[in-house]
Amino acid sequence: MSFEHLDSPQLKRFQRKITLLSAAGTFLDGFDLTVIAVAMPLILNQWDIGPGLQGLITSSAVIGSLIGALWLGNLTDKFGRKAMYVIDLLAFVVFAALTAFAQAPWQLILFRFLLGIGIGADYPISATLVSEFSSTKSRGKHSTSLGAMWFVGAVVAYIFGIILEPLGPSAWRYMLLVGAVFALIVFYFRVTLPESPRWLASRGREKEAEEIMFKITGKKVVIKPNTDKKQKIGDLFSKTLFRRTFFVCGFWFCYAVAYYGISMYSPTILKPFTHGSQMMAYIGSGTVSVLGLLGAIIGMNIVEKIGRRPLIITSFTGLSIALIILALNPSPTMAFLVILFSLAVLFANMGGGILNFVYPTELFPTGIRASASGLATGVSRIGSILGILVFPQLVAAWGNSKALWLFAVAGLAGLIISAILAPETKGKNLEELNQDVTSALNNKANIGGNHGKMA
């Protein structure tokens, strides 16, 4: 393949555009998944909702994102990055708007679930497109910026919560509607982006890939026909790729259990310490989100300097220590909770929360790159659901302090997985990173074909 021209300094502006519009999608993910936590206290004031229904409303978008990541991630490898890149934004616009006009809890659950399908799809689509257009030297920074923008979205959700809360009982509807307005703006600009030439080449469409390369680089390139065997989603579980698959799914699952549990329930956990002030609970939770954003920005700026492996190990180490300290304190103060929660999400987002956009796209060949990212996203959603649904039950049975051990154990598990399995991928292009596994998959396919002929 002839994609070395993508490393040209002249493409920085174009690559920033790709990254910005992709990051706008993860901004929406962060906003829409967090805004329900901001809106939930107001929804509870308006509707008579028990703990079970509250858990369904909170987790419905996450459950939808599990399906969206698995289903549409695979379709992205089949039908192209651009097609799915635009279509999934329609789900953001339509269903975010419908959630704002829900007239009953079941409607809110349904529309949030359908919105979640678009959210889940955007993870593998955006991450894959950015990795395939980025230069080798800046791929890590561009990809981790997607994770950073997720946390910008989370912070903005709290800002709008603080701004709109004085509007009264219907303020939660305006909070949800803001997501639809943001999505409409992003949809308009995403339509202008080209298809990934790497994906076109992997599908045997070399001429189209050459045309796009000429359009964005101004240089004619000859892309050799793709002789690799067609890769299937089942290859992710083959002996060749299983170690990589387990790693990306494992560390992201552990991160999701801890992060989503903290982020979704921090307003609820903090409110008893604010003498009933909803605004103070928002400010405390918003502070946690801001520190989480700071962690993502730190990670984004050092990922190409220190490498992926040291960053993710440091991330899970800091997360685990902060959560263990929290779990060991049975009578925390408001300040103590905010500080420790902030440290926990700072470390979590410095590595695990941004490298989940990097590793799944770097460790798998083009033919199954989006499928791998979608699978990892889907598994992480299981972790998110676990953190969201199980934590309230543990709080009811054990109390806040002991329930936090769920997150501490998840952090330790992520540390062990990363220490054993995390590879270093800094400084290598996508073809170099996957040359060995592609050859192994080709050999496996050839052996299988020869056995078939002999039979």
Side-chain angles (χ1 to χ4, degrees):
M1 304 296 174
S2 300
F3 300 115
E4 61 272 10
H5 290 300
L6 293 175
D7 290 331
S8 170
Q10 283 72 37
L11 289 188
K12 285 184 177 180
R13 184 176 180 180
F14 170 77
Q15 289 164 341
R16 281 197 295 266
K17 179 182 178 181
I18 292 281
T19 301
L20 178 62
L21 289 177
S22 298
T26 56
F27 167 90
L28 291 170
D29 299 343
F31 181 90
D32 285 321
L33 287 178
T34 304
V35 75
I36 196 64
V38 181
M40 183 55 66
L42 302 178
I43 294 172
L44 293 175
N45 289 338
Q46 192 169 98
W47 291 339
D48 183 18
I49 297 173
L53 208 54
Q54 179 183 347
L56 282 175
I57 293 173
T58 305
S59 63
S60 55
V62 180
I63 295 170
S65 71
L66 164 63
I67 295 172
L70 294 174
W71 176 36
L72 297 179
N74 186 35
L75 292 183
T76 301
D77 281 330
K78 290 183 178 180
F79 300 116
R81 295 11 177 169
K82 181 179 179 179
M84 305 310 298
Y85 192 62
V86 173
I87 289 172
D88 84 299
L89 252 293
L90 286 176
F92 280 84
V93 176
V94 173
F95 297 117
L98 288 174
T99 59
F101 296 99
Q103 298 302 307
W106 72 265
Q107 293 179 7
L108 186 56
I109 292 169
L110 174 62
F111 296 144
R112 289 281 301 172
F113 170 79
L114 295 173
L115 172 64
I117 292 177
I119 291 173
D122 202 69
Y123 281 79
I125 298 169
S126 293
T128 299
L129 197 67
V130 168
S131 70
E132 291 179 352
F133 272 114
S134 294
S135 67
T136 301
K137 290 183 178 180
S138 62
R139 187 180 62 243
K141 187 170 184 177
H142 283 180
S143 296
T144 54
S145 69
L146 302 186
M149 283 300 289
W150 195 103
F151 305 110
V152 173
V155 171
V156 170
Y158 280 105
I159 292 173
F160 273 92
I162 293 170
I163 293 172
L164 298 174
E165 194 262 348
L167 296 180
S170 295
W172 66 270
R173 297 185 184 276
Y174 299 119
M175 295 176 192
L176 300 183
L177 189 60
V178 168
V181 176
F182 285 148
L184 190 60
I185 296 170
V186 178
F187 174 80
Y188 175 78
F189 287 102
R190 274 196 178 185
V191 175
T192 64
L193 297 180
E195 180 58 270
S196 163
R198 278 187 162 104
W199 178 80
L200 289 169
S202 75
R203 308 299 287 186
R205 296 160 63 177
E206 292 84 7
K207 292 298 180 184
E208 293 174 68
E210 290 171 358
E211 289 172 5
I212 289 177
M213 287 293 291
F214 178 74
K215 184 177 179 180
I216 63 178
T217 67
K219 298 177 181 179
K220 288 189 176 182
V221 298
V222 176
I223 297 178
K224 298 177 182 178
N226 180 29
T227 57
D228 295 333
K229 298 296 180 182
K230 188 176 180 180
Q231 295 140 1
K232 309 179 296 293
I233 192 169
D235 291 331
L236 297 175
F237 305 98
S238 66
K239 185 177 180 181
T240 303
L241 285 174
F242 182 76
R243 181 184 175 95
R244 297 184 177 196
T245 301
F246 182 82
F247 166 62
V248 297
C249 291
F251 91 78
W252 200 348
F253 173 89
C254 294
Y255 163 80
V257 170
Y259 177 77
Y260 278 90
I262 294 172
S263 64
M264 290 295 179
Y265 288 108
S266 58
T268 305
I269 293 171
L270 294 178
K271 189 172 181 180
F273 297 87
T274 65
H275 305 291
S277 170
Q278 188 60 59
M279 185 65 70
M280 287 301 299
Y282 282 164
I283 292 172
S285 301
T287 301
V288 173
S289 292
V290 169
L291 267 293
L293 171 59
L294 177 61
I297 293 173
I298 292 171
M300 181 180 73
N301 283 284
I302 65 176
V303 64
E304 294 293 4
K305 296 177 182 177
I306 71 170
R308 281 64 154 161
R309 178 177 166 81
L311 187 59
I312 198 167
I313 291 174
T314 301
S315 169
F316 275 109
T317 300
L319 169 65
S320 301
I321 292 172
L323 289 173
I324 289 171
I325 294 172
L326 269 170
L328 288 173
N329 192 326
S331 303
T333 63
M334 172 78 168
F336 180 85
L337 283 172
V338 171
I339 291 171
L340 268 295
F341 276 152
S342 296
L343 287 174
V345 298
L346 184 148
F347 277 103
N349 297 346
M350 187 175 71
I354 56 175
L355 290 175
N356 49 17
F357 288 93
V358 180
Y359 271 128
T361 59
E362 290 185 336
L363 295 179
F364 299 91
T366 303
I368 51 174
R369 183 169 291 126
S371 297
S373 184
L375 174 65
T377 305
V379 171
S380 78
R381 296 312 86 173
I382 297 173
S384 306
I385 295 165
L386 178 64
I388 293 170
L389 294 183
V390 174
F391 181 68
Q393 309 304 319
L394 295 181
V395 170
W398 299 343
N400 274 330
S401 180
K402 290 182 179 178
L404 286 170
W405 279 108
L406 170 66
F407 305 147
V409 170
L412 288 170
L415 174 59
I416 293 169
I417 290 170
S418 299
I420 296 174
L421 297 177
E424 185 52 73
T425 55
K426 182 182 75 170
K428 297 180 180 179
N429 65 43
L430 296 178
E431 286 70 36
E432 286 178 300
L433 287 170
N434 292 286
Q435 186 174 13
D436 292 342
V437 296
T438 301
S439 298
L441 291 173
N442 287 340
N443 292 335
K444 179 184 174 183
N446 290 332
I447 292 172
N450 291 334
H451 281 314
K453 293 177 181 178
M454 291 172 64

